[in-house]
Amino acid sequence: MNYVYIGKTEILALVVGLVTGAIYGGLNLPIPAPNVLGGNLAILFTFIGLVIVGLIRGEVKFGPPPKDK
């Protein structure tokens, strides 16, 4: 079972992405990601499509995984 939720890893990835983007922008370097909206939306919607198929198959749930007792 895969769980989709926002945890420490996702928050850390957000912070790292923002810092990396600021550094690349400040140094006028090309970013290591698609620099057009269409490319970024393709990545986002690919993930959303994967989650939708996982939900239909019953392989994905929203929320943190249950804690082991």
Side-chain angles (χ1 to χ4, degrees), residues 7 9-10 18 20 23 25 31 36-37 39 43 52 54 57 64-65 68:
T9 302
E10 290 75 18
L18 289 173
T20 302
I23 291 171
I31 60 173
V36 294
L37 182 59
I43 292 168
I52 289 171
R57 292 180 178 171
D68 294 332

Side-chain angles (χ1 to χ4, degrees), residues 37-51:
L37 182 59
N40 288 300
L41 289 177
I43 292 168
L44 175 65
F45 288 118
T46 299
F47 176 73
I48 290 172
L50 177 71
V51 170

Side-chain angles (χ1 to χ4, degrees), residues 1-7 10 47-55 59-66:
M1 180 69 60
N2 294 310
Y3 293 88
V4 178
Y5 70 103
I6 296 177
E10 290 75 18
F47 176 73
I48 290 172
L50 177 71
V51 170
I52 289 171
V53 171
L55 285 170
E59 299 170 347
V60 172
K61 288 189 177 187
F62 286 98

